[in-house]
Amino acid sequence: MILKNKSLQTVHSAQAYAGQKQEQDVAFFLRRAFKDHPQVLVINDFKFSFNDETAQIDHLIIYTYGFVLIESKSIKGQVKVNQQEEWTRSHQGNWFGMASPIKQVELQQALLLQLLTHHRSEILGKLLGIKQQGFRLRGWDHLCAVSSDAIINRDTIPKQVSEKLVKTEFLVDKLNEIMNLKGKFTRLVNFTDTRPDFSQDELNSIADFLISHDFDNKHSKEQHEASEQATWKHKNLEQGEIIIDSEAIQPQPIMQLQEAHPPYQARQHDAVPQLKLLCKHCGESANYKPMYGKYGYYIHCNQCTKNTPMKQECPQCQSKHTRVQKRRETYTLHCQECSFNQQVV
């Protein structure tokens, strides 16, 4: 399942364009392979911060047994890595040193682990209701996906680097090898695979947490709040009302103005649209159970025993580009167009 697509940026150099093209190519292969896979969640271009540090992960895979981070690297020509794991690349017949993308993604992985570990009690439940689950013992892998037309001399590359260096068209094969996913029944009867796994609800909880911490998501919310503020001021000015900056005037004038003008929050035209989740078959509004299935979150009605998707159009802008996020026992509808958020269950 693709949680976030690769967004195009305005670039002004051939190098930046090639880098963006490589990220798009990788995102394309990931979408083709995993867009309908319930056990594999993909976040492209994930940028986050923790403990005053910031990291940007080109492609993040969250799956039943752990995580895979992918660094996309556009390389036109040859690439060499010596025994000290130092990288060089060729360009127009000349050789140049370059930073190791493997070391780069290792730093990103370490910060992501710190972030998830710090918030583990918010994301994961307790094993048997006693022991808090964590992330350190899960599968943690990272890869560097290079351009398909790059020339890699694997005879001289250290084995530990060669195993993490893969051309774009072979990336999905490598991921399937790392993840080694099995069907639900096979997992139950296969006692040789002792890897700790995430339940579907835990996978969704991890995904919702990470999406909420993505810089693009936060920026979208800030823009929406700023837009609402500007709209409110514009409407009030059109109606001839006075806009008061409470930090710029003294207490006594504020009290006098409040007597003449009712507080803003009391005005009826600012009412927030309210969501009401009903069974679409019988109209039941309370006697149902939230569940998760192949097509996302839904409610199972105990009255008529039928199902209704939680996903619905945004009550604020009527957009259909919405998704339901789960945090513990709370389900929230999020609009990708206007960033409207409201609890549905």
Side-chain angles (χ1 to χ4, degrees), residues 282-295:
C282 69
E284 175 59 39
S285 62
N287 188 18
Y288 53 68
K289 180 180 179 182
M291 302 186 74
Y292 181 84
K294 180 179 179 181
Y295 300 104

Side-chain angles (χ1 to χ4, degrees), residues 275-291 297-310 312 329 331 343-345:
L275 289 169
K276 190 169 182 63
L277 193 57
L278 305 172
C279 173
K280 68 178 182 180
H281 304 282
C282 69
E284 175 59 39
S285 62
N287 188 18
Y288 53 68
K289 180 180 179 182
M291 302 186 74
Y297 294 109
Y298 65 93
I299 55 171
H300 177 75
C301 181
N302 296 324
Q303 191 74 24
C304 67
T305 70
K306 294 184 179 180
N307 300 329
T308 300
M310 288 189 197
Q312 52 187 290
E329 302 306 317
Y331 299 79
Q343 182 177 336
V344 291
V345 179

Side-chain angles (χ1 to χ4, degrees), residues 43 118 146 186 196 221 271 336:
I43 302 177
H118 183 76
V146 299
T186 306
K221 287 183 178 179
Q336 299 176 10

Side-chain angles (χ1 to χ4, degrees), residues 91-117:
H91 180 67
Q92 296 181 348
N94 297 313
W95 286 90
F96 302 89
M98 61 176 287
S100 167
I102 300 295
K103 293 300 179 184
Q104 181 180 345
V105 76
E106 285 176 354
L107 292 174
Q108 297 164 356
Q109 177 178 304
L111 190 64
L112 178 62
L113 176 56
Q114 291 177 34
L115 173 68
L116 291 173
T117 300

